[in-house]
Amino acid sequence: MAEAFREVGLEPTEQPVPGCGGANILAPLRGAQDRWVLVAAHYDHLGREGSHTYHGADDNAAAVAIMVEVARALRRDPPKGRGVLFAAFDGEEPPYFLSEGMGSEHFALHPTVPLNTIDLMVCMDLVGHAIGPEGAPEEVRQSVFALGAERSEGTAALVERLARVEPGVILRRFDAETVPPLSDYWGFWRRNVPFLFLTNGRWRYYHTPEDTPDKLDYAKIEATARWLERLVREACARPEPKVRFLSGVRDDASTLRSLMDLLANLESLSPMAALGRASAEQLLARCDASGRLADAERAQFLMLVGQLERGLA
């Protein structure tokens, strides 16, 4: 990991993570301002278990490759404004997940730049595969889910403006509470650091020995890297002196709109998609002016999300 950062012209440092016996690899690209956009992906995986090898191509080698390519592009042509801190985190997988042995949690406890100078933490996990079965519409297969944009001022508008700017990838916003905490953004979210979680979701090869390079969608990976480079450039150049974290916000409406669009594209493959879309439309009509569903509606909402995830796995 350190060699990869050095190869693109950065000077990485190693931050030991005692809780997992490993290390975070951190590579800063300094900007004109002493504020930061942090781009992160975990580089550990499950390793070996008995006779099985867990290769982790999608979880999380694809995200690491995207991070390195974005680092290469930004080192060659640095962004204006904020600096970029690239972080390859260790210890994301069990048994360290959601513990102080998790590399990202260790960083949040012992940051190398003050957390209050990070205006956006971008976390990538499971971003290497196409979504849905072979034969599904490209509008579905090229999707990447972006969670957490609603938690900081102006970030949702930025993601929506860029959602379709790069051919080969489509960003779809989901609220961060749509799923339980799933990756390295957890330690930043609970410390009120603006964050964005990019993922293609769990699929049938998640945490299996079959998560191998031949199953990745390389054109989508390349498109995601181009998209992320653009996002980071714009996030670095944002005019606000500080990006404000938004507490107590939930944007269920953004999730429902994304569900409706996905399900509309799946109606030719499954009659259940039309029923799901109608359900999402009904829930959207019951959101309040801020885009929030009443707590009593959450069970139906989460059931709909779960059904779609299982259908696309």
Side-chain angles (χ1 to χ4, degrees):
M1 196 67 248
E3 288 176 5
F5 281 136
R6 280 194 288 267
E7 190 270 330
V8 303
L10 299 178
E11 297 181 9
T13 59
E14 188 172 302
Q15 181 188 45
V17 183
C20 71
N24 297 327
I25 309 300
L26 309 171
L29 177 61
R30 298 195 177 275
Q33 302 172 23
D34 193 19
R35 300 198 66 80
W36 298 88
V37 173
L38 191 153
V39 178
H42 74 88
Y43 73 99
D44 63 306
H45 194 50
L46 300 174
R48 295 178 185 270
E49 184 177 300
S51 61
H52 298 294
T53 298
Y54 291 79
H55 302 278
D58 186 50
D59 183 17
N60 198 31
V64 170
I66 290 170
M67 178 172 62
V68 170
E69 289 309 305
V70 172
R72 186 191 310 277
L74 297 181
R75 176 66 181 86
R76 184 170 55 241
D77 180 15
K80 295 178 172 59
R82 295 164 177 81
V84 185
L85 177 60
F86 296 95
F89 288 133
D90 204 349
E92 192 271 352
E93 298 287 5
Y96 310 110
F97 186 62
L98 302 189
S99 77
E100 290 189 10
M102 193 177 183
S104 53
E105 175 66 6
H106 182 80
F107 177 91
L109 288 167
H110 308 280
T112 58
V113 300
L115 292 184
N116 64 7
T117 66
I118 298 174
D119 281 322
L120 185 64
M121 183 272 185
V122 183
C123 172
M124 291 181 287
D125 209 341
L126 296 167
V127 289
H129 65 276
I131 294 176
E134 291 284 346
E138 289 301 293
E139 282 277 315
V140 175
R141 291 179 65 78
Q142 293 178 356
S143 298
V144 174
F145 305 122
L147 288 76
E150 70 287 338
R151 260 53 180 199
S152 55
E153 197 167 56
T155 305
L158 174 61
V159 172
E160 289 185 352
R161 179 165 58 81
L162 298 179
R164 292 176 177 265
V165 294
E166 286 294 339
V169 66
I170 301 165
L171 272 291
R172 300 188 184 276
R173 286 212 302 118
F174 273 49
D175 181 84
E177 290 182 41
T178 305
V179 296
L182 291 178
S183 194
D184 292 303
Y185 62 94
W186 171 73
F188 295 84
W189 180 1
R190 66 198 194 100
R191 292 175 175 87
N192 292 346
V193 176
F195 69 94
L196 185 68
F197 176 43
L198 303 180
T199 185
N200 297 345
R202 291 168 294 193
W203 62 330
R204 66 176 69 94
Y205 303 114
Y206 173 68
H207 280 189
T208 71
E210 286 71 47
D211 181 7
T212 49
D214 57 293
K215 299 180 180 71
L216 300 181
D217 185 332
Y218 290 94
K220 185 177 180 182
I221 290 171
E222 183 180 3
T224 302
R226 292 195 309 267
W227 185 89
L228 182 56
E229 178 194 346
R230 187 181 294 226
L231 174 82
V232 173
R233 287 189 185 281
E234 299 220 11
C236 285
R238 288 177 67 170
E240 304 95 321
K242 176 180 172 62
V243 175
R244 187 166 66 95
F245 186 86
L246 301 176
S247 299
V249 170
R250 199 174 73 212
D251 185 4
D252 300 316
S254 67
T255 307
L256 289 164
R257 292 189 187 98
S258 293
L259 288 173
M260 287 161 52
D261 194 40
L262 285 167
L263 289 163
N265 281 285
L266 290 167
E267 287 183 13
S268 62
L269 299 180
S270 169
M272 297 300 294
L275 295 175
R277 182 169 61 84
S279 179
E281 287 176 349
Q282 292 168 7
L283 287 169
L284 181 61
R286 295 201 284 271
C287 288
D288 66 17
S290 70
R292 190 183 187 106
L293 278 170
D295 290 343
E297 310 278 8
R298 293 285 290 170
Q300 183 183 354
F301 170 76
L302 294 174
M303 182 178 69
L304 184 61
V305 173
Q307 288 172 339
L308 181 65
E309 182 181 36
R310 288 189 294 274
L312 293 177

